[in-house]
């Protein structure tokens, strides 16, 4: 067993933006722009009308949305109603305003800059908002849209570089520094957390294992970091994928566990991977971000015929992809993992984006 620092010491390891007071205003601006663009499309396409309420399936049908995106249309409507921008009418929704709202996408640049995103993020969001109908109808996908307009994987991953993820990745790196052996990173993707660990230690630990479901990402990690890699799917038992039980002292998973069909089952798989007393450190969004509803959440729609993330657990009731903090507590308890810390604290400016880092421990005795 290894003892971890107190929550306050971990908070102290989180880098702070120069102007934390500007974060709330910038986030509010992004949400307003995104929701205005979504509402404008729904009105212009006559998917949302004033005369009668329509449920999510009817709105999606009127929009011509692909079946795999119907869940996302449902989230659009739920968030628009929660913000008072449309009217909840029984089991359906109807428009509240006579005219479609203006969409001030020129303000995206300053808002994203204030939040610490790279310049390309504003362009990516602007591109997505300008093609909402095509994205909803599967005439194009977000990666294809980015690549056709001269972008690459780094542009597509720009949403993972900001003040909030930098703070959480810094804590991940500190925890790896405490126990730099038998580390497994799940869903490592473009390697942003891997980079933070490497920067903190000067080099990756010799038995750091970089995993993902895509060979595209593992090959890139091998070339860039010279790290050991493996394909690993959180929805499947790691033993069926060649990973020995108890082989990890520390498992990292940043912004990946929401992709699980069943969160408790995925966490149980991770518990199998952990040694007795081992640690799981994972970051997650704990609420819908209105800013991402019109862009990055298209990436969460399953391939045709595949199960949707969350469809096997409590998220299915409301068509959500993201569990809230209480939901993750329940899921961790259901998997037999004990919570050590949740960062940042609710009154911290870094909590505004709805990102949390969960630190949990496996039992000292194996199941």
């Amino acid at each position: 067993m290894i003892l971890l620092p107190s929550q306050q010491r971990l908070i102290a390891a989180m880098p702070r933006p120069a102007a934390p007071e500007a974060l709330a205003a910038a986030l509010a601006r992004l949400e307003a722009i995104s929701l205005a663009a979504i509402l404008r499309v729904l009105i212009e396409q006559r998917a949302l009308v004033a005369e009668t309420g329509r449920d999510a399936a009817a709105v999606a049908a009127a929009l011509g949305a692909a079946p795999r995106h119907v869940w996302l249309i449902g989230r659009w409507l739920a968030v628009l109603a929660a913000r008072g921008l449309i009217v909840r009418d029984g089991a359906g929704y109807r428009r509240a305003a006579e005219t479609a709202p203006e969409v001030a996408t020129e303000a995206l640049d300053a808002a994203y800059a204030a939040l610490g995103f790279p310049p390309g993020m504003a362009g990516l969001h602007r591109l997505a908002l300008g093609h909402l109908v095509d994205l909803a109808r599967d005439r194009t996908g977000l990666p294809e849209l980015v690549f056709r307009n001269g972008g690459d994987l780094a542009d597509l991953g720009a949403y993972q570089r900001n003040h909030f993820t930098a703070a959480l990745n810094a804590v991940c790196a500190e925890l790896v520094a405490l126990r730099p052996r038998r580390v497994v990173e799940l869903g490592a993707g473009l390697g942003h957390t891997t980079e933070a660990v490497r920067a903190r230690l000067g080099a990756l630990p010799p038995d750091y294992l970089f995993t993902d479901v895509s060979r595209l990402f593992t090959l890139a990690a091998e070339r860039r970091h010279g790290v050991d890699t493996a394909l690993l799917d959180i929805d499947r038992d790691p033993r069926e994928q060649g990973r020995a039980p108890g082989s990890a002292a520390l498992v990292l998973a940043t912004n990946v566990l929401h992709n699980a069909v069943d969160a408790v089952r995925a966490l149980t798989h991770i518990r199998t991977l952990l040694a007795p007393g081992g640690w799981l450190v994972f970051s997650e969004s704990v609420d819908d971000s209105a800013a991402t509803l019109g862009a990055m959440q298209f990436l969460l729609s399953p391939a045709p015929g595949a199960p949707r993330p969350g469809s096997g657990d409590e998220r299915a009731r409301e068509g959500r992809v993201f569990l809230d903090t209480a939901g993750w507590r329940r899921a961790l308890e259901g998997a037999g993992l004990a919570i050590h810390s949740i960062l940042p604290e609710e009154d911290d400016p870094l909590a505004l984006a709805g990102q949390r880092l969960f630190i949990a421990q496996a039992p000292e005795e194996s199941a």
Side-chain angles (χ1 to χ4, degrees):
M1 175 182 179
I2 181 171
L3 296 177
L4 296 189
S6 69
Q7 182 153 314
Q8 291 307 312
R9 281 186 59 194
L10 292 173
I11 290 172
M14 299 166 73
R16 298 280 157 177
E21 67 282 355
L23 300 180
L27 283 166
R29 191 62 180 149
L30 289 184
E31 292 200 355
I33 293 168
S34 186
L35 291 178
I38 290 169
L39 182 54
R40 186 174 186 87
V41 161
L42 293 176
I43 291 174
E44 288 180 342
Q45 297 295 315
R46 294 287 298 167
L48 196 66
V49 296
E51 298 80 20
T52 184
R54 290 175 172 172
D55 64 14
V59 170
L63 183 61
R68 72 190 191 99
H69 294 312
V70 172
W71 76 273
L72 180 55
I73 308 305
R75 297 313 306 156
W76 287 3
L77 296 170
V79 174
L80 286 167
R83 301 293 195 277
L85 297 172
I86 62 175
V87 176
R88 186 72 183 261
D89 186 3
Y93 302 87
R94 57 184 174 83
R95 55 188 281 192
E98 292 298 321
T99 59
E102 295 299 319
V103 183
T105 58
E106 66 277 2
L108 289 172
D109 299 271
Y112 274 114
L115 297 169
F117 286 87
M121 187 60 208
L124 187 155
H125 198 173
R126 188 177 292 112
L127 189 64
L129 294 181
H131 292 81
L132 283 176
V133 174
D134 290 335
L135 288 166
R137 294 176 180 173
D138 265 353
R139 290 176 176 170
T140 188
L142 195 56
E144 293 85 354
L145 198 58
V146 170
F147 299 152
R148 281 207 314 267
N149 285 269
D152 56 24
L153 280 175
D155 294 310
L156 196 58
Y159 75 99
Q160 295 186 23
R161 293 190 181 277
N162 53 71
H163 291 318
F164 309 99
T165 56
L168 301 186
N169 280 337
V171 177
C172 289
E174 287 297 320
L175 295 176
V176 173
L178 288 173
R179 184 65 177 253
R181 295 191 60 78
R182 295 195 297 146
V183 179
V184 175
E185 185 178 354
L186 302 175
L190 292 170
H192 299 314
T193 302
T194 316
E195 290 173 5
V197 172
R198 187 175 183 176
R200 170 65 178 82
L201 277 66
L204 289 174
D207 53 0
Y208 190 104
L209 182 64
F210 179 111
T211 76
D212 201 273
V213 294
S214 171
R215 192 65 179 141
L216 174 68
F217 293 129
T218 59
L219 285 170
E222 289 169 9
R223 289 195 299 268
R224 184 169 187 178
H225 301 295
V227 68
D228 290 337
T229 69
L231 297 178
L232 197 61
D233 184 346
I234 59 173
D235 281 323
R236 295 173 52 210
D237 190 319
R239 292 170 293 192
E240 298 173 354
Q241 303 175 75
R243 311 319 309 174
S247 58
L250 175 65
V251 169
L252 298 178
T254 55
N255 290 306
V256 64
L257 294 188
H258 61 264
N259 289 297
V261 173
D262 183 326
V264 175
R265 186 173 63 190
L267 289 170
T268 302
H269 291 161
I270 292 170
R271 179 180 167 183
T272 299
L273 192 60
L274 285 169
W279 294 93
L280 166 63
V281 180
F282 69 98
S283 64
E284 272 300 332
S285 293
V286 292
D287 196 5
D288 281 320
S289 165
T292 67
L293 285 172
M296 305 313 299
Q297 289 205 35
F298 278 103
L299 296 175
L300 300 178
S301 291
R308 183 176 54 80
S311 59
D313 60 37
E314 66 179 73
R315 292 171 287 172
R317 289 196 299 270
E318 296 181 352
R320 290 180 173 271
V321 165
F322 299 109
L323 278 170
D324 60 15
T325 301
W328 280 115
R329 285 184 178 275
R330 289 189 292 271
L332 287 162
E333 181 180 356
L337 295 165
I339 293 178
H340 171 279
S341 296
I342 301 175
L343 305 173
E345 296 177 316
E346 293 295 330
D347 59 351
D348 191 318
L350 290 172
L352 291 169
Q355 287 273 317
R356 298 291 184 274
L357 187 74
F358 296 82
I359 303 172
Q361 188 178 27
E364 283 297 319
E365 297 298 326
S366 59

